[in-house]
């Protein structure tokens, strides 16, 4: 760390030295033009020496001027008092700079006709160079102020970026927390319904059916726990969960429930929200099969449509009542719509409406994104075959 800091200071000093050197050479070029125009008999190297001595004296004085600038910074609230202080400091610094320059130039003995002594040299420089030295002091302060303003601007910019990044991270964490809450809300909702059905079987003294439903519920919960943190899973995996859920419902409805599932092979790896189909199918069973005394059928299909994944769940039940809007069919669908809005915004939708030939059709449209994890060999068979009681 100390080495890096020292190296940084050396770089700054080297840059300052090169800057003053470049300025001295630029002023020397102006002096040579004046020499040619005025037929000055003094050799060129004396002009070069004069200019370079002047700028290198300023190079030596620059750290002191910068310290004075930091000690009394030009602030908006105190600018009158600070300006008065720096006017006095500029006057003193200009005299010091001209004195040092006069001593050095007298020592190297250039321009002997006008620099015969220190007093003569200082007087000559005072006449031709005081105003320039005075302005040079202010030029150094201006550069310092400019760099300071730029540094503060960059710091504010970086702080703004950090705050925006933090805000984005917090927003992402909030969305994830909301999704987890919605997901955890959905699972107990399904679990309570299933446990209630098991209690009904127990009261009806159907112990074998209750044990079978508990066993299948255990299988489903083990599968769900495997993907507890995943918000999205492949469609083939979701269909596996659905088969486990339907096996539970099959115990309740026996021969009254028939489910047909068909998924196009090209969409089996498409990403879907975890447990997204269960509440949709549950509503189809409850409002379709549950309201009818006869056997019923539910058809589940998945295919690609215009670059999107379309999943339809159709039942042949009595359909929606005229006063029953499709947007309000229980906590399961409301929860599902909320999850879709959090995950995909307006790119996903869930509609529930009466079918053309009776019953209800729930259509789930999702962005078609592939999760690169192929299904096991038996999964596709599960996905495209019917489940029948």
């Amino acid at each position: 760390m100390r080495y890096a800091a020292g190296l940084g200071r050396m770089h700054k000093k080297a840059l300052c030295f090169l800057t003053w050197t470049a300025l001295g050479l630029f002023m020397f070029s102006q002096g040579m033009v004046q020499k040619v125009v005025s037929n000055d008999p003094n050799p060129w190297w004396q002009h070069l020496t004069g200019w370079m001595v002047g700028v290198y004296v300023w190079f030596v004085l620059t750290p002191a001027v910068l310290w004075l600038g930091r000690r009394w910074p030009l602030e908006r609230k105190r600018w009158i008092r600070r300006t008065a202080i720096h006017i006095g400091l500029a006057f003193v610094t200009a005299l010091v700079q001209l004195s040092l320059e006069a001593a050095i130039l007298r020592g190297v003995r250039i321009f002997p006709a006008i620099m015969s002594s220190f007093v003569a040299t200082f007087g000559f420089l005072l006449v031709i160079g005081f105003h320039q030295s005075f302005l040079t002091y202010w030029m150094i302060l201006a550069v310092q102020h400019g760099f300071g303003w730029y540094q503060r601007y960059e710091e504010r910019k970086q702080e703004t970026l950090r705050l925006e990044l933090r805000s984005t991270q917090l927003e992402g964490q909030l969305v994830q927390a909301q999704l987890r809450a919605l997901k955890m809300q959905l699972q107990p909702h399904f679990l309570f319904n299933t446990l209630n059905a098991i209690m009904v079987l127990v009261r009806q003294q159907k112990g074998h059916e209750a044990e079978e439903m508990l066993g299948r519920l255990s299988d489903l919960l083990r599968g769900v726990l495997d993907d507890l943190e995943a918000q999205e899973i492949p469609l083939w995996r979701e269909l596996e969960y659905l088969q486990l859920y339907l096996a539970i419902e099959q115990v309740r409805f026996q021969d009254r429930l028939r489910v047909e599932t068909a998924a196009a092979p090209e969409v089996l790896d498409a990403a879907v929200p975890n447990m997204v189909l269960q509440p949709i199918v549950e509503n189809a069973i409850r409002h379709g099969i549950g309201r009818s005394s006869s056997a019923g059928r539910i058809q589940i299909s998945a295919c690609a449509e215009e670059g999107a994944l379309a999943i339809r769940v159709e039942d042949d039940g009595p359909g929606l009542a005229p006063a029953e809007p499709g947007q309000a069919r229980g906590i399961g669908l409301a929860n599902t719509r909320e999850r879709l809005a959090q995950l995909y915004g307006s790119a996903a939708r869930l509609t529930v409406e009466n079918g053309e030939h009776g019953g209800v059709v729930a259509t789930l449209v999702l962005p078609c994104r592939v999760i690169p994890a192929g299904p096991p060999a038996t999964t596709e068979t599960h996905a495209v075959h019917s489940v029948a009681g």
Side-chain angles (χ1 to χ4, degrees):
M1 293 292 292
R2 292 181 179 178
Y3 174 77
L7 191 61
R9 287 192 295 268
M10 290 181 60
H11 285 166
K12 290 181 180 179
K13 290 180 179 179
L15 179 61
C16 182
F17 178 82
L18 292 175
T19 301
W20 280 114
T21 300
L23 182 60
L25 292 175
F26 177 78
M27 300 304 292
F28 164 68
S29 65
Q30 180 186 11
M32 292 305 297
V33 172
Q34 294 175 348
K35 168 181 167 57
V36 173
V37 172
S38 61
N39 294 319
D40 187 348
N42 294 300
W44 66 267
W45 62 267
Q46 291 188 359
H47 289 272
L48 176 63
T49 303
W51 282 113
M52 300 312 294
V53 166
V55 296
Y56 287 145
V57 170
W58 272 116
F59 167 71
V60 174
L61 293 176
T62 296
V65 176
L66 295 177
W67 181 88
L68 294 173
R70 291 190 298 268
R71 176 63 179 83
W72 291 285
L74 294 173
E75 299 176 347
R76 182 179 299 178
K77 295 181 179 179
R78 304 177 180 178
W79 70 272
I80 297 178
R81 181 171 179 270
R82 296 291 172 83
T83 301
I85 291 174
H86 281 292
I87 289 175
L89 292 173
F91 183 85
V92 173
T93 303
L95 294 179
V96 172
Q97 188 271 334
L98 293 174
S99 299
L100 293 174
E101 185 178 354
I104 296 172
L105 292 179
R106 174 65 185 136
V108 297
R109 298 183 182 278
I110 63 172
F111 304 116
I114 56 177
M115 297 184 180
S116 57
S117 65
F118 171 79
V119 174
T121 304
F122 178 74
F124 175 76
L125 294 178
L126 188 64
V127 171
I128 68 168
F130 175 80
H131 292 81
Q132 180 178 323
S133 295
F134 186 86
L135 290 177
T136 301
Y137 176 93
W138 285 98
M139 180 189 72
I140 297 173
L141 286 185
V143 171
Q144 181 188 40
H145 185 75
F147 272 104
W149 181 89
Y150 178 77
Q151 185 176 12
R152 290 189 296 272
Y153 167 77
E154 286 295 320
E155 290 175 354
R156 289 193 297 267
K157 182 179 177 182
Q158 293 299 322
E159 182 64 21
T160 301
L161 291 176
R162 284 194 294 268
L163 290 175
E164 289 179 354
L165 177 61
R166 180 60 177 165
S167 176
T168 302
Q169 291 173 342
L170 290 175
E171 184 178 353
Q173 292 172 3
L174 177 61
V175 170
Q176 290 299 319
Q178 290 173 336
L179 287 170
R180 284 194 294 269
L182 291 168
K183 186 177 175 183
M184 295 306 295
Q185 181 185 11
L186 178 65
Q187 291 168 353
H189 175 258
F190 152 72
L191 182 61
F192 293 152
N193 289 343
T194 304
L195 291 176
N196 184 61
I198 294 173
M199 289 179 61
V200 172
L201 291 175
V202 171
R203 289 171 182 170
Q204 294 175 351
Q205 297 184 354
K206 296 180 179 180
H208 177 73
E209 289 86 349
E211 290 179 4
E212 185 177 359
M213 186 177 286
L214 279 173
R216 294 180 179 181
L217 175 61
S218 176
D219 293 337
L220 176 58
L221 292 179
R222 275 196 296 268
V224 171
L225 288 174
D226 288 340
D227 295 315
L228 184 62
E229 295 297 326
Q231 291 297 338
E232 292 182 311
I233 58 175
L235 177 60
W236 64 264
R237 182 72 166 167
E238 180 69 12
L239 291 175
E240 282 189 342
Y241 289 155
L242 188 61
Q243 297 301 319
L244 293 173
Y245 166 71
L246 289 171
I248 296 173
E249 296 293 347
Q250 207 65 53
V251 176
R252 294 176 56 196
F253 291 97
Q254 298 296 329
D255 295 337
R256 291 180 54 204
L257 174 62
R258 184 180 179 213
V259 181
E260 298 176 357
T261 304
E266 63 269 15
V267 299
L268 288 176
D269 287 333
V272 297
N274 192 359
M275 292 289 287
V276 71
L277 292 180
Q278 183 275 326
I280 301 175
V281 175
E282 181 183 7
N283 271 271
I285 293 174
R286 177 186 301 176
H287 298 283
I289 310 302
R291 290 182 178 180
S292 176
S293 58
S294 60
R297 182 181 65 179
I298 294 177
Q299 293 179 307
I300 304 169
S301 61
C303 62
E305 291 185 359
E306 298 179 355
L309 172 63
I311 304 175
R312 292 182 176 86
V313 178
E314 306 178 40
D315 66 64
D316 58 357
L320 297 172
E324 181 184 11
Q327 298 292 324
R329 298 200 67 182
I331 189 175
L333 294 188
N335 186 295
T336 300
R337 288 190 176 96
E338 188 70 23
R339 291 181 66 199
L340 294 177
Q342 293 284 358
L343 282 169
Y344 309 110
S346 60
R349 65 181 183 275
L350 172 62
T351 58
V352 181
E353 56 190 358
N354 285 319
E356 294 182 1
H357 305 291
V360 175
V361 179
T363 304
L364 176 65
V365 178
L366 302 172
C368 195
R369 296 190 297 103
V370 173
I371 296 181
T378 59
T379 303
E380 186 173 346
T381 302
H382 292 166
V384 298
H385 280 71
S386 300
V387 177

